[in-house]
Structures are given as structure tokens and as C-alpha cells.
Amino acid sequence: MASVRKIPLSESVLNMIQAQVKMHCEVFAADTVYLDTIGNVPGGRTLVESHNWPVREAFEYFQNLGVGRLEGDSFKVLNPDYFRVNTNQVSVSISFFIDERIRSDLLVMLDVYAQVFDAENRIRFFLNQKLQDKFGPDYIFYLPQHVQERIDHEKSRTSCYVIDPRKGDLEFTHLSDLKRIIVANEEFIADNLSRSVLLDKLDYLNSIRNLAAHNNLIEASEITRIRDNCEIVRLITGTELPAIKQTQPTEEQLSSIDI
């Protein structure tokens, strides 16, 4: 195989690699990047020209600046500000030795689980408030029969390894149950288009959740779609704000999301 011709290290190339470091840190919620993945962020396009970048030389330059530490084929970011990394997105840390055979897969799956876990619980918060406003604190008796049975069944199960048992009724529901609640209370999402889109998102996220829970690797190219679906859930329910405040998205916003 012919060797790849590397282009000279220049300010423009350094800026492009800096941008890749920022994306990797935020995509993987980590402070470490791997040299062989620069130019190929999951969910994005592979930058063909990155094969010609003097990657190691660039990271040696970053190390000499003191903004990171090069360790073999990995680079630990020590100064996020230099790479303009949004530290609010870098919140998942790995404190154990990862088998190298699953390292890249694990980082992708962490992203999948965190996105779905966040969106699923935001729906619970949203519905809990709506149900209390409509029926009062004893709203469980007004839930669809199947949902009531699910809650009763889940509450009856005991697990010695649960540190903090769930307390709120909706904490015992599945995504499919949350969908049933929305169908039974259409006024919670008054706009027909928004409600239809939200129900579709719940079906999609439920399928992703089940796949991820049973050791099925989600393709990196699907990460962007998962993020978009979770974001539209937040947008429709209004839970992208600190306080629960329902704001209906526009048709343009809804149409921009792949259903």
C-alpha cells in the first residue's frame, strides 16, 4: 500500500484539527481523543482530506504548548478553553480500564443511553405536572388501565440491588406507557402535528432503547438522528427550559427533523 503524502503543518491545518478535538470531546463527552479517529466524528461525514493531515505532529505541537498530553495514540485535553470545548457537554468520565476491543463502541453507546435516558425522563416530568394539574395528586386512578397495571406490577417487584427505590408513579412506566397517557389526554399536546410527531419519536426512541439494552451496537451514523429525535421531544414538551413551560415548535422546526 502506498504511503499517504502528508501536507505541511500550517495554521489552517492546526485550526481544523483543533475543531476536530472540540467535536470529539463533545460527541463522546470525554477529555481524551484518539489520533486515528481525527476526521471521523460519529454521526458526521468523514473528512477525506484528514488522511493527509500531519496529525501526530499537530498533537506534539499542542503538547508543547501545554494544552494537552500525548500518550501513545491518545491525547488528553488539559486546557478545554484552548480547543473551545463546551465543558457542559463533557460530563461522562470513565474510571476503569476499558477493553480496547470495545472502546470506540462503548463511547458511542454511552451517548445513546444518555440521550434516551434524558429525553424519557423529561417526558415523565412533563406528564407528571400535566396529570397533577388535571386530576390532582391521585391521578394514577385516571391513567389508562394498562398503565395502572404496569405501575402496580413494577411496584411489586423487589430488587435488593436498588439503592434508591423509585417513588413517583410515572417512574415505574415504560416509554410505551407514556405514549398511552398522551393518546388518552390529547389536550396535553394541543397541536395535532406536534402530538403526532411526539408519538412517532416515542416509538423510535423505544426501539433504540430496547436495542441498546440488549447489547446491540447502534451505528455511529445513527447518533445524529437519535440526538435530533431527543431534541424534538424536549422542544415539544417545553422541557428544554429550566422550568417546565410548554412551547409549541413551528412547522419548520418539525419538518427539519427526520421522522
Side-chain angles (χ1 to χ4, degrees):
M1 181 182 294
S3 60
V4 176
R5 182 181 178 83
K6 300 294 183 180
I7 61 176
L9 188 62
S10 64
E11 184 177 354
S12 62
V13 172
L14 282 171
N15 288 338
M16 287 187 286
I17 296 177
Q18 262 186 278
Q20 289 292 310
V21 172
K22 170 182 169 63
M23 285 190 288
H24 273 256
C25 287
E26 295 176 354
V27 165
F28 291 128
D31 61 1
T32 299
V33 298
Y34 297 88
L35 275 60
D36 59 354
T37 62
I38 291 298
N40 182 17
V41 176
R45 297 179 180 177
T46 299
L47 300 178
V48 177
E49 67 271 19
S50 66
H51 294 301
N52 299 319
W53 288 349
V55 174
R56 180 165 291 279
E57 291 86 342
F59 282 103
E60 289 174 348
Y61 172 79
F62 295 147
Q63 179 172 255
N64 290 335
L65 288 180
V67 297
R69 183 172 63 250
L70 189 59
E71 301 174 340
D73 291 326
S74 67
F75 180 83
K76 182 176 178 61
V77 174
L78 300 178
N79 184 355
D81 291 338
Y82 177 80
F83 297 98
R84 296 185 292 279
V85 173
N86 181 354
T87 53
N88 290 329
Q89 296 186 42
V90 184
S91 56
V92 179
S93 62
I94 303 298
S95 59
F96 59 94
F97 179 78
I98 302 173
D99 190 309
E100 292 299 324
R101 293 169 293 185
I102 65 165
R103 177 181 289 276
S104 60
D105 295 342
L106 175 62
L107 294 172
V108 171
M109 296 306 290
L110 280 172
D111 195 330
V112 171
Y113 180 76
Q115 288 285 337
V116 176
F117 182 77
D118 175 74
E120 180 177 350
N121 280 287
R122 284 173 185 259
I123 298 170
R124 287 195 177 94
F125 302 149
F126 170 79
L127 290 179
N128 179 68
Q129 187 61 56
K130 288 289 186 180
L131 288 165
Q132 287 199 46
D133 291 344
K134 182 177 180 180
F135 300 113
D138 297 326
Y139 63 72
I140 185 173
F141 300 109
Y142 298 92
L143 297 177
Q145 185 62 36
H146 182 91
V147 179
Q148 291 188 46
E149 292 173 357
R150 170 91 71 191
I151 293 173
D152 289 340
H153 173 70
E154 292 294 331
K155 282 185 174 180
S156 68
R157 298 169 62 180
T158 57
S159 301
C160 62
Y161 47 80
V162 175
I163 297 174
D164 184 16
R166 295 165 290 182
K167 298 177 178 65
D169 289 326
L170 292 190
E171 295 178 47
F172 296 89
T173 58
H174 295 185
L175 272 170
S176 57
D177 300 317
L178 301 177
K179 178 180 177 180
R180 289 186 175 92
I181 294 173
I182 294 171
V183 170
N185 300 273
E186 292 186 347
E187 73 276 15
F188 289 176
I189 308 290
D191 180 75
N192 291 334
L193 176 60
S194 295
R195 185 170 61 253
S196 176
V197 169
L198 179 60
L199 295 176
D200 181 82
K201 300 309 175 193
L202 296 187
D203 283 338
Y204 170 75
L205 294 178
N206 194 40
S207 67
I208 291 293
R209 187 181 189 278
N210 290 336
L211 287 171
H214 292 90
N215 203 36
N216 293 285
L217 177 63
I218 307 300
E219 291 186 0
S221 59
E222 191 71 12
I223 299 297
T224 298
R225 186 182 178 201
I226 293 170
R227 289 179 171 183
D228 286 345
N229 276 266
C230 290
E231 190 56 34
I232 203 67
V233 165
R234 301 181 188 107
L235 185 62
I236 292 175
T237 60
T239 53
E240 82 283 1
L241 301 174
I244 295 179
K245 178 181 178 183
Q246 186 173 355
T247 55
Q248 294 300 329
T250 64
E251 289 193 27
E252 181 180 359
Q253 288 173 312
L254 292 175
S255 62
S256 68
I257 301 297
D258 178 22
I259 302 176

